[in-house]
Amino acid sequence: MGFRKSPDGGWGWVIVLVSFFAQFLCYGSPLAVGVLYIEWLDAFGEGKGKTAWVGSLASGVGLLASPVCSLCVSSFGARPVTIFSGFLVSGGLMLSSFAPNIYFLFFSYGIVVGLGCGLLYTATVTITCQYFDSRRGLALGLISTGSSVGLFVYAALQRMLIEHYGLDGCLLIVGALSLNILACGSLMRPLKISDCPLSEKTALENVPDRYSMYNEKEKNLEESPNILDKSYISENKYKCSLASGDWSQDSPLHKKPSPVPHAKEPEMYRKKVVEQTYFCKQLAKRKWQLYKNYWSETASLFQNKVFSALFIAIFLFDIGGFPPSLLMEDVARSSSVKEEEFVMPLISIIGIMTAVGKLLLGILADFKWINTLYLYVATLIVMGLALCAIPLAKCYVTLAILSGILGFLTGNWSIFPYVTTKTVGIDKLAHAYGILMFFAGLGNSLGPPIVGWFYDWTQTYDIAFYFSGFCVLLGGSILLLAALSCWDTCNKKLPKPMPTTFLYKVSSNV
């Protein structure tokens, strides 16, 4: 079977289009969950901290399960995983419309929808990387804006649906819209690239067969001269018997034809068992070596001071930076902002400015004279100050401006892979990025409930957002201190190690 290279176009642009719409349909409701959060507070009468768990789980579960999502895409492919994620997201949203209490929403909306989002994100990114090589950055940037546009549209859409059909009807309609993910997934035609290794199952099934075919051919080649020799000898004996007139019963004409000797089946079976056992042992040794290398590489990553600071920064950033997208609507209601003053939902402002931030910050990161690590630190520090300013905002205009600033700075997700690459190198990017995304998901899951608990404790959001701003500022400061002392040494290219030479001492007897 032949393998094709990445086309960098053609059907790849269809992949970009359907991936954009898949992320739009999948992430629209979970990112705009702040509109539903207010309705759940009124419907179930639970505390803000407990209710905030629903939205935080929907955003954090997908990141926490990123290793499992990657394994599913590697095993089954992007198309089946995308279709399955469509069923999860749609089923979770529709199931949430029948939720009798907040605990049911933890499962239906938080876990089921969150897991579907994680699976879809991994599938869309993977198949886009397969179809694009030189234009990969552009393609990934285009599909990543689908979630931001979804946040912008779904914030207004869910509010309108709640007004006309109620909370349950809104969830049913949004869940039905999510079924269009199945159509998007069906268009994700798989592309086999040249550097894709064979799966272990295929290799395990094929290797013994190849060995047995080779042995049988080799044995047949060895036996064929013997058969020819035997037929030549029998022919000579027949001619001699005709010449001498000896028509005894031992002549070849009176003998029944003897069957050609074949290989013994038990012997072949034993050979196959030995070959399969040897292959399984080698496979187990290779797997054990991979696990050993993984943990040793993980330890070496945390020995890098900048990476350790980056891990702390992303964790604190998600604890403090994610709650505004979930709680901003309730903040406006708590500040006594009138409904007539709402020109546009605050969550919609955050969504559209996040898309703008992703594009502009990504463009800035491509300039050689801009250090992406310092740019990322600057976004963290400014975001921390903006979070601390939220308690001072008492009108819609001020809250809208702060929402726009926070949304723009949240777009620093687009430069985070650049920062990770500069810190650990391209060879360790996948490993390091997986670790960082796990702790980002942990921060996403913990941030909104912590802010909600602060409100339940103090009956105001002031201390909650001071705490959020302090977390983001602390993470940015730690990363800045690590970058000032270690950035040059981390970027310095290490010389290639010299090949290991072995000296053998030869002794001779004189």
Side-chain angles (χ1 to χ4, degrees), residues 394-410:
K394 300 300 180 181
C395 64
Y396 173 78
V397 176
T398 311
L399 287 173
I401 293 173
L402 290 175
S403 298
I405 295 173
L406 291 173
F408 180 84
L409 297 174
T410 306

Side-chain angles (χ1 to χ4, degrees), residues 69-93:
C69 297
S70 300
L71 180 62
C72 291
V73 175
S74 301
S75 302
F76 304 107
R79 176 189 281 173
V81 171
T82 302
I83 294 174
F84 180 69
S85 67
F87 281 113
L88 283 180
V89 174
S90 178
L93 289 171

Side-chain angles (χ1 to χ4, degrees), residues 3 39 64 66 82 87 115 117 228 245 262 296 313 382 398 403 501:
F3 296 101
E39 301 298 326
L64 289 172
S66 55
T82 302
F87 281 113
L115 186 59
C117 292
L228 292 174
H262 295 283
S296 62
V382 177
T398 311
S403 298
T501 56

Side-chain angles (χ1 to χ4, degrees), residues 27-38 52 55-56 59 109 147 151-152 155 158 317-331 345-352 354 383 387 390 402-404 406-408 410 413 444 447-448 451 465 468:
Y27 281 94
S29 180
L31 291 180
V33 72
V35 177
L36 304 175
Y37 171 74
I38 298 175
S56 62
S59 298
Y109 199 99
S147 57
L151 169 58
F152 172 74
Q158 290 185 147
F317 165 74
D318 280 277
I319 286 181
F322 178 68
S325 62
L326 175 62
L327 305 173
M328 210 61 179
E329 295 291 326
D330 193 51
V331 170
L346 297 177
I347 298 180
S348 296
I349 298 175
I350 293 176
I352 196 64
T354 301
M383 176 175 277
L387 287 169
I390 289 178
L402 290 175
S403 298
L406 291 173
F408 180 84
T410 306
W413 276 100
N444 269 350
V451 173
F465 279 101
S468 298

Side-chain angles (χ1 to χ4, degrees), residues 262-326:
H262 295 283
K264 296 181 180 179
E265 291 184 1
E267 184 179 355
M268 292 298 298
Y269 177 76
R270 282 196 298 270
K271 285 185 178 181
K272 287 185 178 181
V273 171
V274 170
E275 289 162 2
Q276 290 183 358
T277 305
Y278 175 77
F279 182 79
C280 291
K281 287 182 179 179
Q282 295 299 319
L283 186 61
K285 289 181 180 179
R286 187 169 64 87
K287 280 292 182 184
W288 171 251
Q289 189 63 34
L290 287 175
Y291 291 139
K292 189 176 179 181
N293 293 340
Y294 176 84
W295 291 112
S296 62
E297 187 176 336
T298 303
S300 66
L301 284 174
F302 280 99
Q303 291 175 1
N304 186 335
K305 294 182 180 179
V306 178
F307 176 81
S308 300
L310 192 63
F311 139 73
I312 297 173
I314 191 64
F315 177 68
L316 294 176
F317 165 74
D318 280 277
I319 286 181
F322 178 68
S325 62
L326 175 62

Side-chain angles (χ1 to χ4, degrees), residues 480-504:
L480 179 61
L481 292 176
L484 290 175
S485 59
C486 303
W487 180 252
D488 294 332
T489 57
C490 290
N491 271 347
K492 190 182 298 181
K493 293 183 178 180
L494 297 176
K496 293 183 178 180
M498 297 295 292
T500 307
T501 56
F502 298 94
L503 298 178
Y504 296 95

Side-chain angles (χ1 to χ4, degrees), residues 24-224:
F24 171 86
L25 295 166
C26 180
Y27 281 94
S29 180
L31 291 180
V33 72
V35 177
L36 304 175
Y37 171 74
I38 298 175
E39 301 298 326
W40 286 330
L41 285 174
D42 298 336
F44 300 113
E46 299 286 351
K48 295 182 185 291
K50 185 182 293 186
T51 309
W53 271 109
V54 181
S56 62
L57 284 174
S59 298
V61 166
L63 293 174
L64 289 172
S66 55
V68 179
C69 297
S70 300
L71 180 62
C72 291
V73 175
S74 301
S75 302
F76 304 107
R79 176 189 281 173
V81 171
T82 302
I83 294 174
F84 180 69
S85 67
F87 281 113
L88 283 180
V89 174
S90 178
L93 289 171
M94 292 182 178
L95 201 61
S96 299
S97 64
F98 303 99
N101 51 52
I102 197 69
Y103 300 102
F104 188 87
L105 285 175
F106 290 165
F107 169 74
S108 62
Y109 199 99
I111 296 178
V112 177
V113 176
L115 186 59
C117 292
L119 288 170
L120 184 133
Y121 177 79
T122 306
T124 52
V125 169
T126 300
I127 195 168
T128 303
C129 290
Q130 290 177 358
Y131 268 88
F132 288 90
D133 187 12
S134 61
R135 299 179 181 178
R136 184 175 295 168
L138 174 62
L140 291 175
L142 290 173
I143 69 170
S144 66
T145 57
S147 57
S148 302
V149 176
L151 169 58
F152 172 74
V153 173
Y154 269 73
L157 176 64
Q158 290 185 147
R159 174 172 291 182
M160 183 185 68
L161 291 175
I162 290 172
E163 291 176 357
H164 288 81
Y165 304 103
L167 178 60
D168 298 342
C170 171
L171 289 171
L172 282 173
I173 294 173
V174 172
L177 287 176
S178 300
L179 286 173
N180 289 288
I181 297 174
L182 307 182
C184 296
S186 64
L187 294 174
M188 292 182 179
R189 188 169 61 198
L191 175 72
K192 294 184 178 297
I193 54 178
S194 56
D195 54 350
C196 285
L198 288 174
S199 64
E200 295 168 3
K201 184 178 179 181
T202 306
L204 186 61
E205 292 175 352
N206 290 343
V207 169
D209 294 336
R210 290 201 302 269
Y211 286 165
S212 61
M213 289 171 62
Y214 173 77
N215 291 334
E216 288 175 3
K217 290 180 179 178
E218 187 178 9
K219 192 152 190 174
N220 289 336
L221 290 175
E222 291 176 355
E223 290 175 356
S224 57

